[in-house]
C-alpha cells in the first residue's frame, strides 16, 4: 500500500485492516496514531487501546464501564490495537480479544501494531484454535506494512 493510498484512508471505506509489523522503536505506534488523527479530521471515529489496557478495561467489575468500552468500539470506524503480543494474555483475555476482533470483522477497520510474527501469536493467546480464528479474520482484508531499521529512541538516546 503506497503512501498516497494510506494517507487517503481509503482502507477505511473498504473496512480493510492494517498490520504494522516491525522492530521496537521503528514508528508503528506513531503511524497508527497519525492515521487515527487523520481519520478524526475526516469526520470518522477512531479509538486507540494498548491491547493489555483494553483487556483490563473489559475485565472491570463495573458492568457500566465494560459496556462503555464496547460502545466506544462499536461506534468507531477505526480501532487501533497497539502493542499486540507484547505481554501474554490469560485464557479469558484472549477470548475477549477474539470477541472484539470478531465483532469488528468486515464492520470496521483495525490497525494492529506488533513486533511478533503470526506464527508466534499463539505464545501470547495460548490457544491454537483461537489464534487461528483471530489470524484468519484479521488477515482476510489486511495490508501489512513492514517497519525496518533501528529504534528511533535508541538512535536519539541521551545516553551516548
Amino acid at each position: 500500500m503506497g503512501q498516497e493510498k494510506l494517507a487517503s484512508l481509503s482502507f477505511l471505506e473498504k473496512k480493510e485492516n492494517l498490520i504494522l509489523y516491525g522492530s521496537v522503536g521503528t514508528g508503528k505506534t506513531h503511524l497508527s496514531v497519525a492515521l487515527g488523527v487523520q481519520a478524526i479530521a475526516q469526520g470518522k471515529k477512531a479509538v486507540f487501546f494498548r491491547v493489555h489496557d483494553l483487556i483490563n478495561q473489559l475485565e472491570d467489575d463495573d458492568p457500566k464501564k465494560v459496556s462503555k468500552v464496547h460502545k466506544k468500539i462499536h461506534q468507531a470506524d477505526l480501532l487501533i490495537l497497539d502493542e499486540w503480543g507484547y505481554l501474554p494474555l490469560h485464557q479469558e483475555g484472549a477470548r475477549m480479544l477474539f470477541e472484539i476482533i470478531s465483532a469488528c470483522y468486515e464492520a470496521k477497520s483495525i490497525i494492529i501494531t506488533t513486533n511478533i510474527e503470526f506464527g508466534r501469536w499463539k505464545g501470547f493467546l495460548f490457544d491454537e484454535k483461537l489464534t487461528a480464528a483471530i489470524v484468519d479474520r484479521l488477515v482476510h482484508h489486511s495490508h501489512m506494512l513492514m517497519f525496518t531499521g533501528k529504534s528511533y529512541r535508541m538512535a536519539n538516546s541521551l545516553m551516548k
Side-chain angles (χ1 to χ4, degrees):
M1 175 178 277
Q3 287 180 337
E4 197 172 293
K5 192 172 182 181
L6 189 61
S8 75
L9 301 180
S10 63
F11 70 95
L12 287 180
E13 301 305 321
K14 299 174 188 172
K15 313 276 191 280
E16 294 173 339
N17 305 319
L18 299 178
I19 298 172
L20 310 184
Y21 171 77
S23 300
V24 173
T26 54
K28 299 176 303 292
T29 299
H30 186 83
L31 179 60
S32 71
V33 169
L35 292 170
V37 169
Q38 178 72 10
I40 291 167
Q42 291 184 11
K44 307 279 188 204
K45 291 186 179 180
V47 291
F48 174 97
F49 293 98
R50 286 187 177 83
V51 171
H52 234 69
D53 292 341
L54 172 61
I55 298 306
N56 287 338
Q57 289 179 41
L58 292 172
E59 291 179 321
D60 197 290
D61 291 333
D62 184 348
K64 288 181 182 177
K65 289 181 180 177
V66 173
S67 178
K68 190 175 179 180
V69 171
H70 280 287
K71 185 177 179 181
K72 263 185 181 178
I73 293 170
H74 178 73
Q75 292 176 339
D77 299 295
L78 174 61
L79 171 62
I80 301 168
L81 296 174
D82 191 39
E83 297 180 352
W84 181 273
Y86 282 44
L87 298 170
L89 298 175
H90 50 73
Q91 190 72 30
E92 184 61 16
R95 187 194 61 74
M96 289 177 189
L97 193 55
F98 169 76
E99 287 178 5
I100 295 294
I101 299 301
S102 292
C104 294
Y105 177 65
E106 295 187 328
K108 66 182 80 268
S109 293
I110 302 171
I111 297 176
I112 288 177
T113 70
T114 187
N115 64 358
I116 301 187
E117 62 270 7
F118 296 130
R120 291 185 36 222
W121 283 13
K122 182 183 168 253
F124 81 94
L125 293 169
F126 291 109
D127 182 302
E128 202 165 317
K129 288 181 183 177
L130 190 68
T131 302
I134 289 173
V135 169
D136 186 63
R137 283 162 178 79
L138 284 174
V139 171
H140 185 217
H141 301 293
S142 287
H143 302 276
M144 180 176 282
L145 303 178
M146 305 289 284
F147 287 70
T148 58
K150 297 183 185 217
S151 167
Y152 174 83
R153 291 181 210 95
M154 292 300 281
N156 293 284
S157 172
L158 297 176
M159 301 185 327
K160 296 196 179 201

